[in-house]
Amino acid sequence: DGRALPFWSKYPTYNQSPPKKEALICPLIRNFPWQELSEYHIGLLENVMGYSEQTWNMFLNSKEDKSFSELTNDEQNAMIELGYMEETWDCCINHYTAWTYEEISDFGKEIEDHLFEISLKVLGWNERNWGNTSTSSSDGTVDIPKSEEKSWKELNLLEKGAAEYLCYTQSLWDEEALIST
């Protein structure tokens, strides 16, 4: 019919199982090294999102720590241009780390999907330690789940399934730098 395909269609996607009844499609553009992105995408990422080659390839942009709703309108629109909507940003980029445990629990109940909260529990997260980034709590005990210290290969099958449910892949879990091939 003469209409152009969305420009992100040149980038493949992968199916993940998010806290929705249907499968979520994660745009793979976030897994492409900076050098392999188009000039248009680089301009968008630099000028609107504040990425540089290093922060993109090393997953170091603090905006990835925010939920989609915490991004500015310009940032949201830039990510929509790259194929990310609220659901795909929060799962595929942020992995729900910007959400409170209560929000996670309520969301799972709202959509009648208990695997969402179960996935967090399998990985060792609970209401007490969710969002804690220090290695010890106020009483001196280690509060970070053991899964956080494991590489993908060290995760058991249940932990890998839980991580995948939260839109992690092996390279995302292991925080592997993006390298041009």
Side-chain angles (χ1 to χ4, degrees), residues 123 125 133-136 141-155 159 173-174:
L123 293 170
W125 293 106
T133 57
S134 65
T135 56
S136 62
T141 60
V142 174
D143 210 23
I144 299 295
K146 291 181 180 165
S147 65
E148 288 294 302
E149 299 171 2
K150 293 180 181 180
S151 70
W152 185 265
K153 290 180 181 179
E154 295 170 320
L155 295 175
E159 290 168 328
W173 183 268
D174 289 339

Side-chain angles (χ1 to χ4, degrees), residues 34-92:
W34 185 264
Q35 304 87 333
E36 294 179 21
L37 299 176
S38 71
E39 286 183 34
Y40 174 80
H41 292 131
I42 288 173
L44 198 62
L45 291 165
E46 281 180 326
N47 298 323
V48 179
M49 296 300 292
Y51 282 99
S52 66
E53 183 173 355
Q54 180 182 8
T55 60
W56 178 264
N57 287 344
M58 301 294 292
F59 299 94
L60 297 174
N61 189 317
S62 62
K63 288 184 175 44
E64 293 185 4
D65 296 332
K66 295 180 177 185
S67 69
F68 189 84
S69 65
E70 294 173 313
L71 298 175
T72 67
N73 286 338
D74 287 343
E75 292 166 345
Q76 288 179 3
N77 289 332
M79 294 319 295
I80 289 169
E81 284 284 316
L82 295 174
Y84 287 96
M85 303 302 282
E86 184 169 13
E87 297 83 12
T88 51
W89 175 273
D90 286 348
C91 190
C92 306

Side-chain angles (χ1 to χ4, degrees), residues 12-16 18 22-28 83-84 87-88 92:
T13 58
Y14 65 98
N15 287 318
Q16 291 292 4
E22 68 277 354
L24 179 75
I25 306 295
C26 291
L28 283 182
Y84 287 96
E87 297 83 12
T88 51
C92 306

